[in-house]
């Protein structure tokens, strides 16, 4: 079954986590993603990232699924010339290096445009390609810190806290992939390529959403409130007999159904809890403890049986292992199994975007280091003698030598 990005070729310089999630999404939707790996450094750092064993990294198998691997030394003139030959016949170039890194290798946007005027050149970095931090290596953690996200995350009295997952890299990766698709559509209309600059810190800054708008509008400084919300109450997690549950009662009509279902009709008669605003004002002082005591009498299943039929947002707080077994997530094909070339069968998250007429199945497993070098050199009409010479001079690396 054809996918939306079938026929789109991407030369991918992304390394580690930054940008790599975005190119994985593009590969999932059919793009041919060709990773240019620094084999002298052992290839992409994700190949050595935990969890792993002596055969390889499960993280690499996930985040680089469906891609290809070509090993060329971009720091040599011969290697640069070879990469430019690949760019000449590509649609997109992706990278995750600070400003100036690929320019020093004569592989920047202007260099790419000389051989391919219609190229789309997309960068996903920690801080972007402009500004005082543009040449600084960023990370997920520093992006969360700089954007203000860490300052608003965590419980009252606790220090600023990072998100539990690599949210800046993933959230930025979604913007990154969306930008590439948008640029491809624009090129179809205008015939012109363009340069894309996505920063994880920028993306996390927008993730502050209503908190940012509120502070700019009212001047009120947001204080960490854990899993609660000052705008909606009750909006929180509660301990039950066998773990934790979450619920979000966002309207007064839901509050009436919630109070009756929880067998707490007296709450409806209390003027302190009459409206969403008054519940928020009195949540910490009174309402939180009343609800916490009631939830402690229940199990996760009892909570679901009570609130789900009423269409009140609620559910158990699952562990990662429990999420893998979730009936809902499995029904959505969000738990898939791939046959990795190094590790064998692996379970991993599926494709989160579902579209009619397109199978939500990844293009394939992650590549072995350098396994596609020979094929791409042949496509670029590099002779066998030239390949042998480049192998001798360590310009390239082919898996197992020339095949």
């Amino acid at each position: 079954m054809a996918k939306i990005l079938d026929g789109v070729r991407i030369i991918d310089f992304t390394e580690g986590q930054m940008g790599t999630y975005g190119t994985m999404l593009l590969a999932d939707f059919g793009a041919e993603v060709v990773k240019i790996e620094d084999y002298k450094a052992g290839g992409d750092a994700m190949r050595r990232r935990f969890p792993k064993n002596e055969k390889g990294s499960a993280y690499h198998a996930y985040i680089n699924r469906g891609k290809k691997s070509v090993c060329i030394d971009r720091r040599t003139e011969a290697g640069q010339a070879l990469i430019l030959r690949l760019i000449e016949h590509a649609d997109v170039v992706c990278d995750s290096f600070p400003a100036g890194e690929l320019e020093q290798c004569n592989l920047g946007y202007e260099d790419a445009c000389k051989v391919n005027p219609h190229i789309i050149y997309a960068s996903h970095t920690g801080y972007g390609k402009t500004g005082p931090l543009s040449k600084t290596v960023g990370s997920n953690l520093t992006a969360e810190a700089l954007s203000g996200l860490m300052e608003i995350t965590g419980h009252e009295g606790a220090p600023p806290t990072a998100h539990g997952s690599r949210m800046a890299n993933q959230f930025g990766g979604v913007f990154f992939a969306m930008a590439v698709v948008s640029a491809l559509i624009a090129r179809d209309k205008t015939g012109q390529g363009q340069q894309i600059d996505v920063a994880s810190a920028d993306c996390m800054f927008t993730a502050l959403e209503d908190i940012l708008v509120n502070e700019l509008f009212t001047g009120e400084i947001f204080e960490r409130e854990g899993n609660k919300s000052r705008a909606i109450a009750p909006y929180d997690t509660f301990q039950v007999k066998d773990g934790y549950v979450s619920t979000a009662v966002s309207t007064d009509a839901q509050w009436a159904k919630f109070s009756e279902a929880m067998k707490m009709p007296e709450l409806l008669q209390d003027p302190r809890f009459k409206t969403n605003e008054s519940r928020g004002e009195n949540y910490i002082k009174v309402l939180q403890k009343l609800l916490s005591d009631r939830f402690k009498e229940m199990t996760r299943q009892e909570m679901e049986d009570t609130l789900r039929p009423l269409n009140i947002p609620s559910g158990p707080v699952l562990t990662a292992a429990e999420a893998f077994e979730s009936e809902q997530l499995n029904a959505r094909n969000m738990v898939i199994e791939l046959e990795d070339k190094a590790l064998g069968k692996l379970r991993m998250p599926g494709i989160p975007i579902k579209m009619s007429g397109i199978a939500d199945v990844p293009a394939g497993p992650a590549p072995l280091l350098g396994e596609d070098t020979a094929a791409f050199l042949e496509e670029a009409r590099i002779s066998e003698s030239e390949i042998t010479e480049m192998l001798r001079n360590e310009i390239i690396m082919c898996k197992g030598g020339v095949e």
Side-chain angles (χ1 to χ4, degrees), residues 45-95:
M46 299 307 292
R47 293 182 178 277
R48 299 174 293 283
R49 189 64 54 87
F50 288 100
K52 67 182 183 68
N53 60 23
E54 68 282 356
K55 295 181 180 179
S57 163
Y59 199 0
H60 164 71
Y62 164 56
I63 207 166
N64 283 306
R65 68 189 183 196
K67 303 178 186 179
K68 296 180 179 179
S69 174
V70 171
C71 289
I72 303 174
D73 188 348
R74 69 174 186 273
R75 295 178 179 83
T76 64
E77 288 188 16
Q80 292 161 13
L82 198 53
I83 292 171
L84 286 172
R85 290 179 70 168
L86 298 181
I87 291 175
E88 185 178 355
H89 301 288
D91 297 285
V92 185
V93 173
C94 293
D95 85 285

Side-chain angles (χ1 to χ4, degrees), residues 105-123:
C105 298
N106 301 308
L107 294 170
Y109 176 59
E110 299 299 332
D111 302 294
C113 285
K114 290 176 183 177
V115 299
N116 186 342
H118 307 292
I119 197 71
I120 294 165
Y121 202 108
S123 301

Side-chain angles (χ1 to χ4, degrees), residues 250-312:
S250 57
T251 68
D252 294 337
Q254 284 184 344
W255 171 246
K257 292 192 293 183
F258 173 85
S259 300
E260 294 290 350
M262 296 293 287
K263 299 181 180 179
M264 302 177 76
E266 68 278 6
L267 297 179
L268 292 175
Q269 309 306 317
D270 195 317
R272 296 173 296 180
F273 312 138
K274 186 175 182 180
T275 67
N276 214 345
E277 184 176 1
S278 64
R279 288 194 296 276
E281 292 173 352
N282 292 284
Y283 183 70
I284 297 297
K285 292 181 287 186
V286 184
L287 186 57
Q288 184 182 41
K289 186 178 187 309
L290 292 175
L291 297 179
S292 294
D293 289 344
R294 176 68 182 97
F295 273 109
K296 286 177 182 177
E297 298 171 354
M298 306 173 71
T299 64
R300 295 194 302 183
Q301 190 60 52
E302 287 172 341
M303 183 277 302
E304 285 203 79
D305 293 342
T306 298
L307 299 180
R308 182 181 291 181
L310 300 176
N311 206 25
I312 294 174

Side-chain angles (χ1 to χ4, degrees), residues 146-162:
L146 180 71
S147 66
L149 184 72
M150 284 180 63
E151 179 59 30
I152 67 168
T153 306
H155 289 272
E156 307 94 321
T161 304

Side-chain angles (χ1 to χ4, degrees), residues 322-351:
E322 288 174 326
F324 255 96
E325 305 303 327
S326 162
E327 180 182 2
Q328 174 64 25
L329 292 176
N330 278 273
R332 297 277 297 166
N333 199 32
M334 282 308 301
V335 179
I336 62 172
E337 186 174 84
L338 276 185
E339 183 75 30
D340 184 68
K341 297 173 183 177
L343 298 170
K345 289 185 178 180
L346 287 177
R347 296 174 79 200
M348 62 181 66
I351 301 174

Side-chain angles (χ1 to χ4, degrees), residues 8 10 14 19 22-23 26 91-99 102-103 108-110 112-113 118-125 127-130 172-187 192-200 202-203:
V8 172
I10 297 174
T14 64
T23 55
L26 295 168
D91 297 285
V92 185
V93 173
C94 293
D95 85 285
S96 58
F97 295 115
L102 286 179
E103 286 75 6
Y109 176 59
E110 299 299 332
C113 285
H118 307 292
I119 197 71
I120 294 165
Y121 202 108
S123 301
H124 177 194
T125 59
Y127 305 118
K129 297 287 188 173
T130 60
V174 173
F175 276 92
F176 184 55
M178 184 183 75
V180 169
V181 173
S182 298
L184 287 167
I185 294 172
R187 191 178 65 183
Q192 298 178 343
Q194 58 185 300
Q195 190 171 17
I196 296 168
D197 181 5
V198 174
S200 284
D202 295 352
C203 296

